[in-house]
Amino acid sequence: QVQLVESGGGLVQAGGALRLSCIASGRAFTAATMGWFRQAPGKEREFVAAIIWHNDTTVYADSVKGRFTISRDNAKNTVYLQMSSLKPEDTAVYYCAATSHFYGPITKREYEYGYWGQGTQVTISS
């Protein structure tokens, strides 16, 4: 089992920045791929970014490439999503997730993520 707890959401103006954190615990989470997803009101949940914990391979959605950075800190068991140049369309609930399989390839597919946090609200004002 992997447990995930997000924090760091809030309200910022367009053009601003936020850093989301996800503290992970449980069996073998360092063997998983960690991802960030988001869900805006009235829309389906979508992939944002992912990182393979043990080798730092990353992948991003085109909509956030160049603005968001995913990283991890082994000492703190934490995955981060640094968000900059924020836009109103980035408004959503952001979820941290971990894949069900360990030591697999990096993936954007939501169904491959079996562990989820509770979500943190990010609101960008124009």
Side-chain angles (χ1 to χ4, degrees):
Q1 289 291 333
V2 177
Q3 293 80 43
L4 306 169
V5 179
E6 305 103 330
S7 62
L11 171 64
V12 297
Q13 289 188 330
L18 273 176
R19 188 179 75 164
L20 305 183
S21 301
C22 172
I23 299 177
S25 61
R27 185 177 67 87
F29 67 88
T30 55
T33 293
M34 305 297 295
W36 287 95
F37 290 77
R38 66 186 182 186
Q39 187 168 22
K43 295 188 177 181
E44 294 188 350
R45 189 157 55 186
E46 65 175 1
F47 171 81
V48 175
I51 185 168
I52 295 180
W53 193 290
H54 65 275
N55 67 16
D56 276 349
T57 300
T58 60
V59 64
Y60 296 90
D62 288 343
S63 59
V64 307
K65 205 171 292 183
R67 300 189 298 122
F68 290 11
T69 302
I70 188 170
S71 62
R72 57 108 179 103
D73 184 329
N74 280 349
K76 297 182 179 180
N77 295 342
T78 301
V79 175
Y80 300 101
L81 185 69
Q82 179 67 50
M83 307 184 294
S84 60
S85 301
L86 285 162
K87 306 174 182 178
E89 51 263 43
D90 293 318
T91 295
V93 177
Y94 283 71
Y95 297 92
C96 177
T99 52
S100 304
H101 58 269
F102 298 147
Y103 296 113
I106 200 163
T107 178
K108 299 179 180 181
R109 300 184 181 92
E110 183 176 339
Y111 68 84
E112 297 198 51
Y113 289 81
Y115 303 99
W116 294 83
Q118 80 286 355
T120 186
Q121 176 70 46
V122 171
T123 303
I124 312 303
S125 62
S126 57

